Amino acid sequence: MADKGLTDLNDFRQRRQFRAASGERGGKQKKHGADGDDLEILVPLGTMVFVKDDSQEALLADLKEHGRRVVVAKGGKGGLGNVHFATPSKQIPKTATKGEPGERKCLVLDLKLIADVGIVGYPNVGKSTFLTAVSHAKPKIADYAFTTREPALGVVEVGMKIYVLAEIPGLIDGAHLGKGLGHEFLRHVERTKVLLHLLDGSSEDVVSDMNKLNKELALYKTSLAEKRQLVAVNKMDLSEVQARVPQLREEFSSLGLRVFFVSAATKQGLSELLDTLAEMVDKANKELAAVETPEFVFRPKPKSRPKR
Ligand SMILES: Nc1nc2c(ncn2[C@@H]2O[C@H](COP(=O)(O)OP(=O)(O)OP(=O)(O)O)[C@@H](O)[C@H]2O)c(=O)[nH]1
Ligand SMILES: [Mg+2]
């Protein structure tokens, strides 16, 4: 069952076997065995459930909404009590059957994020610091690449608007070929509506960082490169970055790009950026609502009454 309180599949690293109770055996004196109790396994929203057998994996469910559930294995039915085997000549039979063991399935769980905004950027640009500054998320922050190894989620509240941010970790050159951790997570970017492209203002060539990463996204899938992007240069609190602002502004504006200059560490410039992101998410939502096909509703025709 999908539960909005969960954000990752980490629990399943520890525990991989789940067993609901079997059906009990049927008994004497008309007793049927009890059915096995249900076992409910909670997973985060966006979990895709695949059933795996020797040769293939088949999608069983895409648990996108809170409370959405799927039965992956039917529990054992209780055994039949002796009364079930009664015949006219044998009123109190001694036969009863065992409870059934229940189905056994091998599942593959795959979490596809459902975030409104994906934070992309090279390692160490400050994605986790940004996420920590604007939400209650607490991803690890450190001065080395690949600190974040799993996508981290945070919820942002701007006035009445709420949206979900996801840090997409491990993107480097060649990510689309499987380098770094990026390949594993690029597919998560597919489900986001807007990208926040974070750049390190102290990097040698900030504009080229942006272009290279965008190329990487495009190589994975052209649709990723076409996603709405908001570009922000981070680490503005550093004086060396401050000093470069006029030059950077010029470089970006010659590309026709609006850029935000922020500091995730001091929160400088963040509120304006969050407002703009909220507007972009809003716009994307409206566009999505417009193209989404209305659900097909089946209305059976009333049966005409037979004429007398
Ligand atoms: N001066 C300054 N340092 C920052 C800022 N934001 C992040 N940092 C530092 O940059 C380093 C990397 O920050 P993270 O937030 O871990 O970067 P990340 O992009 O999440 O890195 P990975 O998860 O490894 O890809 C840390 O040492 C942070 O303290 C900022 O606005 N100003
Ligand atoms: Mg990080």
Side-chain angles (χ1 to χ4, degrees):
M1 180 167 94
D3 186 290
K4 63 181 177 201
L6 297 175
T7 53
D8 55 46
L9 292 170
N10 286 342
D11 289 351
F12 298 94
R13 286 183 200 285
Q14 308 286 332
R15 186 174 172 201
R16 290 174 185 252
Q17 275 197 31
F18 296 82
R19 187 193 295 261
S22 296
E24 287 172 14
R25 27 175 332 127
K28 296 185 239 170
Q29 295 169 352
K30 302 188 181 176
K31 276 185 189 146
H32 288 243
D35 287 347
D37 277 340
D38 291 346
L39 174 72
E40 209 158 64
I41 302 166
L42 300 182
V43 295
L45 306 194
T47 301
M48 323 239 316
V49 183
F50 296 85
V51 182
K52 189 179 171 183
D53 63 25
D54 297 338
S55 57
Q56 59 178 359
E57 284 177 16
L59 180 65
L60 191 68
D62 188 357
L63 301 174
K64 284 192 223 170
E65 294 119 36
H66 178 68
R68 174 89 68 100
R69 64 177 75 212
V70 60
V71 176
V72 293
K74 294 217 175 75
K77 274 218 166 315
L80 299 170
N82 66 337
V83 70
H84 187 81
F85 301 95
T87 58
S89 58
K90 204 173 188 185
Q91 293 287 320
I92 309 176
K94 292 221 163 118
T95 321
T97 59
K98 283 183 179 172
E100 293 172 8
E103 287 179 325
R104 180 189 283 256
K105 291 273 170 68
C106 178
L107 303 174
V108 175
L109 302 181
D110 188 5
L111 179 58
K112 269 213 171 188
L113 292 184
I114 310 180
D116 301 300
V117 180
I119 310 172
V120 295
Y122 279 126
N124 237 11
V125 297
K127 299 181 294 295
S128 298
T129 310
F130 178 88
L131 193 63
T132 309
V134 302
S135 75
H136 292 296
K138 290 184 182 63
K140 189 171 167 196
I141 296 168
D143 193 12
Y144 54 83
F146 303 129
T147 311
T148 309
R149 308 192 68 89
E150 297 275 339
L153 288 179
V155 179
V156 177
E157 291 186 58
V158 183
M160 296 292 286
K161 291 179 187 145
I162 293 182
Y163 54 95
V164 179
L165 289 179
E167 171 180 0
I168 310 296
L171 298 182
I172 54 168
D173 294 343
H176 76 283
L177 298 173
K179 282 198 186 152
L181 304 164
H183 192 65
E184 214 178 307
F185 305 123
L186 273 170
R187 67 206 167 87
H188 292 310
V189 182
E190 290 180 64
R191 275 197 180 184
T192 62
K193 297 163 192 161
V194 176
L195 296 182
L196 169 61
H197 196 147
L198 218 53
L199 298 163
D200 185 339
S202 65
S203 153
E204 235 169 84
D205 190 338
V206 182
V207 174
S208 132
D209 285 353
M210 179 189 72
N211 289 332
K212 279 198 290 186
L213 196 81
N214 278 340
K215 205 176 270 171
E216 205 54 52
L217 294 179
L219 284 170
Y220 178 75
K221 228 179 204 180
T222 42
S223 62
L224 292 192
E226 287 154 11
K227 262 188 204 296
R228 253 176 252 272
Q229 260 197 27
L230 191 151
V231 181
V233 176
N234 189 31
K235 308 199 182 180
M236 272 290 293
D237 53 293
L238 301 174
S239 53
E240 62 188 268
V241 180
Q242 276 283 354
R244 296 170 81 186
V245 171
Q247 179 215 332
L248 285 174
R249 216 183 272 284
E250 214 175 287
E251 282 182 47
F252 280 104
S253 76
S254 71
L255 296 170
L257 276 177
R258 179 184 178 194
V259 201
F260 286 78
F261 291 93
V262 301
S263 163
T266 64
K267 302 198 179 185
Q268 178 191 343
L270 294 190
S271 76
E272 197 193 343
L273 186 155
L274 292 181
D275 285 346
T276 311
L277 272 182
E279 283 165 24
M280 291 170 77
V281 170
D282 240 17
K283 223 183 213 171
N285 279 337
K286 281 187 187 127
E287 279 178 16
L288 278 176
V291 295
E292 236 154 56
T293 42
E295 248 173 65
F296 179 72
V297 182
F298 178 66
R299 289 203 181 82
K301 278 188 191 147
K303 277 190 189 138
S304 50
R305 280 165 200 256
K307 281 175 193 146
R308 291 196 187 156

